[in-house]
């Protein structure tokens, strides 16, 4: 059903438009032209996300989503095809994360139109700054979407993989403030922020907290000189869980450990806690999962329901009440110069997406 040549051509064109996170203007302009050519109404929200609507169709509105930004090294990408697999020239990423997802969305809509296939009304959201921690989807003007169900085309591997859950993420930027003093002459006049940080770290659960919860203080920065009592230390950390209640509890423990330690030392803890995104888990009988499972079975792929290891834009869509799963777009070894995509997988993933959309036509 899918036009393989057109899908691949679209992909090759998209990856040659530079789009590092925060520099998405050129790719967004290109995509607006493409979606308008397919008759969709396009708009851009205040954050720069592209939202397009195709109101025709029967059933509940359906969201197709991907992201337009890419990681570095991602400029001047030169795709090459070898033995049915698309690679970069080895000096950059390929950009299949997530230009493959976008190419699939365009191809699905075009195939439906050409072959007059049954479909629900379709909404498209192509986010910016996904690679900076889902920032685009986080700030996306959700009032522009009416979708009940959605697919995020942004994960790896062969067709069949369906990600039905995603962990939450809290991000910490902590400033521990003590007081500087000459370390040799008057150490007692100082308050040692570095020692404060060390003590606070012993009071929080780090690493794997339980099977679905983790905590990491990943970077530390502070102090000024060998002979000065360190007046200020910054900690950069995160906590994740598949369970939002557990995450709230863990973050509260971390905050308390920092505040109590700072108080004991007579210092201060300034804590910037960012609830980046919430966890979600869809039940196996959710209509979107059923539609994707059926799509895979119809195409002869074995559907595999799996837990997401990290957040995707789907976290934000689910939080907004759009039942969304993330499926593979074929991308492999992303965020490396070895990134590649097998054309066979790519086409298979596009067919799964197309069938899933058709399965939710009213
Ligand atoms: Zn991605």
């Amino acid at each position: 059903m899918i036009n393989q040549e057109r899908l691949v051509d679209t992909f090759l064109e998209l990856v040659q438009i530079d789009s590092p996170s925060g520099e998405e203007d050129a790719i967004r302009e290109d995509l607006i032209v493409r979606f308008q050519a397919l008759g969709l109404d396009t708009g851009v929200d205040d954050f720069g996300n592209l939202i397009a609507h195709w109101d025709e169709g029967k059933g509940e509105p359906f969201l197709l989503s991907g992201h337009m930004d890419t990681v570095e090294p991602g400029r001047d990408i030169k795709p090459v095809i070898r033995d049915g697999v698309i690679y970069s020239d080895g000096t950059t990423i390929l950009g299949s994360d997530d230009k493959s997802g976008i190419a699939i969305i365009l191809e699905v809509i075009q195939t439906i139109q050409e072959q007059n296939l049954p479909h629900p009304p379709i909404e498209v959201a192509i986010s910016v700054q996904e690679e900076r921690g889902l920032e685009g989807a986080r700030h996306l003007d959700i009032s522009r979407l009416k979708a009940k169900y959605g697919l995020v085309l942004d994960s790896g591997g062969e067709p069949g993989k369906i990600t039905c859950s995603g962990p939450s993420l809290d991000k910490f930027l902590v400033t521990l403030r003590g007081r500087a003093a000459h370390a040799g002459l008057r150490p007692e006049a100082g308050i040692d922020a570095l020692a404060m940080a060390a003590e606070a770290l012993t009071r929080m659960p780090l690493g794997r907290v339980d099977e679905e919860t983790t905590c990491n203080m990943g970077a530390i920065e502070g102090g000024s000189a060998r002979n000065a009592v360190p007046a200020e230390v910054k900690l950069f950390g995160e906590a994740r869980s598949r369970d939002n209640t557990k995450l709230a509890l863990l973050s509260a423990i971390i905050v308390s450990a920092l505040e109590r330690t700072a108080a004991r030392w007579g210092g201060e803890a300034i804590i910037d806690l960012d609830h980046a995104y919430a966890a979600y888990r869809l039940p196996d009988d959710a209509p979107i999962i059923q539609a994707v499972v059926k799509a895979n079975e119809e195409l002869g792929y074995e559907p595999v329901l799996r837990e997401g290891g990290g957040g995707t834009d789907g976290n934000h869509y689910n939080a907004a009440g759009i039942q969304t799963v993330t499926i593979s777009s074929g991308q492999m070894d992303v965020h490396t110069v070895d990134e590649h995509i097998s054309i066979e997988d790519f086409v298979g993933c596009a067919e799964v997406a197309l069938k899933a959309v058709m399965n939710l036509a009213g």
Side-chain angles (χ1 to χ4, degrees):
M1 291 196 291
I2 289 291
N3 182 331
Q4 173 174 320
E5 195 184 330
R6 185 173 60 201
L7 176 69
V8 170
D9 284 348
T10 302
F11 174 73
L12 296 177
E13 289 162 16
L14 294 179
V15 299
Q16 291 179 75
I17 302 169
D18 292 353
S19 59
S21 303
E23 298 177 36
E24 294 100 344
D25 290 1
I27 185 75
R28 183 173 45 240
E29 288 311 309
D30 179 273
L31 292 173
I32 287 172
V33 171
R34 289 174 193 269
F35 284 109
Q36 285 183 348
L38 295 175
L40 276 70
D41 295 323
T42 59
V44 178
D45 71 10
D46 291 345
F47 202 76
N49 299 296
L50 168 58
I51 296 161
H53 291 265
W54 183 26
D55 291 334
E56 281 167 38
K58 292 209 175 80
E60 301 285 4
F62 192 101
L63 174 68
L64 290 169
S65 182
H67 62 90
M68 64 177 99
D69 63 314
T70 48
V71 297
E72 302 278 13
R75 293 163 202 261
D76 199 16
I77 293 170
K78 297 189 181 67
V80 289
I81 303 179
R82 279 197 311 272
D83 301 327
V85 179
I86 311 170
Y87 302 85
S88 73
D89 67 1
T91 63
T92 65
I93 55 146
L94 174 61
S96 65
D97 175 12
D98 185 32
K99 305 277 175 70
S100 59
I102 299 173
I104 287 175
I105 292 169
L106 287 161
E107 182 60 34
V108 163
I109 294 170
Q110 200 158 356
T111 303
I112 289 172
Q113 293 179 345
E114 276 175 358
Q115 300 174 25
N116 224 341
L117 301 170
H119 66 93
I122 288 177
E123 299 181 325
V124 175
I126 310 293
S127 65
V128 294
Q129 298 190 33
E130 192 268 358
E131 301 288 3
R132 287 185 174 168
L134 318 181
E135 287 299 316
R138 178 182 194 171
H139 294 97
L140 190 133
D141 180 1
I142 211 82
S143 71
R144 295 178 186 230
L145 299 178
K146 295 185 186 62
K148 287 273 184 304
Y149 307 111
L151 278 185
V152 172
L153 278 299
D154 185 21
S155 92
E158 65 272 25
K161 305 214 175 98
I162 309 163
T163 306
C164 316
S165 72
S168 52
L169 174 66
D170 276 359
K171 294 195 273 193
F172 285 90
L173 166 54
V174 180
T175 307
L176 290 168
R177 235 172 239 160
R179 190 188 313 127
H182 192 289
L185 296 177
R186 272 174 29 99
E188 46 284 291
I191 298 174
D192 186 339
L194 189 51
M196 211 190 298
E199 183 179 313
L201 286 171
T202 65
R203 295 183 168 193
M204 50 180 90
L206 295 172
R208 181 163 295 286
V209 178
D210 66 36
E211 44 159 17
E212 56 183 3
T213 311
T214 59
C215 179
N216 187 51
M217 288 290 153
I220 185 166
E221 198 178 277
S224 58
R226 175 183 49 78
N227 58 358
V229 174
E232 188 173 290
V233 163
K234 282 184 163 44
L235 287 171
F236 303 83
E238 61 161 47
R240 299 174 192 258
S241 182
R242 294 187 190 287
D243 181 318
N244 289 320
T245 310
K246 283 182 180 174
L247 185 74
L249 186 61
L250 174 57
S251 289
I253 291 171
I254 294 168
V255 168
S256 153
L258 291 160
E259 285 177 343
R260 289 173 53 195
T261 305
R264 206 181 73 73
W265 281 78
E268 196 186 353
I270 299 143
I271 303 167
D272 176 1
L273 168 53
D274 177 12
H275 303 291
Y277 45 84
Y280 71 95
R281 174 177 277 111
L282 295 175
D284 289 358
D285 61 356
I288 182 64
I289 295 182
Q290 294 304 307
V292 180
V293 165
K294 185 163 168 250
N296 278 288
E297 288 168 352
E298 286 165 347
L299 292 161
Y301 300 118
E302 192 195 339
V304 182
L305 302 185
R306 60 179 188 175
E307 308 257 341
T312 70
D313 285 353
N315 283 63
H316 290 299
Y317 300 137
N318 278 293
I322 305 172
Q323 249 187 30
T324 308
V325 294
T326 299
I327 63 171
S328 177
S329 59
Q331 49 182 267
M332 292 296 286
D333 289 343
V334 299
H335 299 198
T336 76
V337 297
D338 299 321
E339 182 183 354
H340 60 276
I341 183 167
S342 134
I343 293 173
E344 190 185 337
D345 287 349
F346 190 17
V347 171
C349 292
E351 288 185 325
V352 169
L354 173 61
K355 285 270 189 193
V357 171
M358 290 167 59
N359 286 341
L360 280 169

